[in-house]
């Protein structure tokens, strides 16, 4: 399973957001890995593409990959002026 991490506001029709990022923490795990084009103490420019990260998860079944992704997204910390789709993705992946 792959999730795109974007600087978009799901509550505003996924409108792109911009601003500073004070903290970005992600920990690779055995079945989850990711990469980001920005880090802590950086920013997303208002004219930049809103996508700034990818997170990937795998498992013996799709459901085990989904559960691993949910844990990884819940542990992902992004703090700053931007809004992200992380909470939206967690809610989507937790639906039955």
């Amino acid at each position: 399973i792959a999730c795109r991490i974007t600087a978009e506001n799901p509550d505003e029709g996924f409108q792109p957001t911009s601003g500073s990022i004070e903290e970005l923490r992600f920990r690779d795990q055995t079945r989850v890995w990711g990469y980001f084009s920005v880090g802590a103490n950086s920013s997303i420019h208002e004219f930049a593409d809103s996508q700034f990260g990818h997170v990937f998860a795998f498992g013996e079944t799709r459901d085990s990959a989904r559960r691993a992704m949910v844990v990884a997204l819940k542990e992902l910390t992004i703090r700053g002026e931007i809004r992200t789709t992380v909470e939206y993705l967690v809610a989507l992946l937790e639906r039955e």
Side-chain angles (χ1 to χ4, degrees), residues 3-10 12-21 24 35-39 42-55 76 78 81-86 89:
C3 287
R4 296 174 65 235
I5 308 302
T6 62
E8 297 174 344
N9 185 343
E12 298 291 330
F14 297 92
Q15 181 161 343
T17 64
S18 60
S20 66
I21 298 174
L24 192 153
Y35 64 88
F36 297 85
S37 60
V38 296
S42 64
S43 64
I44 303 289
H45 191 274
E46 66 181 311
F47 298 116
D49 184 355
S50 63
Q51 181 178 330
F52 65 94
H54 269 103
V55 178
L76 172 60
I78 302 169
E81 298 173 334
I82 64 168
R83 286 286 312 270
T84 72
T85 53
V86 174
L89 292 168

Side-chain angles (χ1 to χ4, degrees), residues 69-70 73-74 85-95:
M69 179 66 79
V70 168
L73 291 175
K74 285 182 175 181
T85 53
V86 174
E87 291 175 355
Y88 173 83
L89 292 168
V90 169
L92 187 66
L93 289 166
E94 286 184 326
R95 282 193 203 160

Side-chain angles (χ1 to χ4, degrees), residues 24-42:
L24 192 153
R25 285 186 302 159
F26 177 78
R27 183 176 57 90
D28 286 337
Q29 301 170 22
T30 303
R31 295 180 179 256
V32 181
W33 70 99
Y35 64 88
F36 297 85
S37 60
V38 296
N41 301 313
S42 64

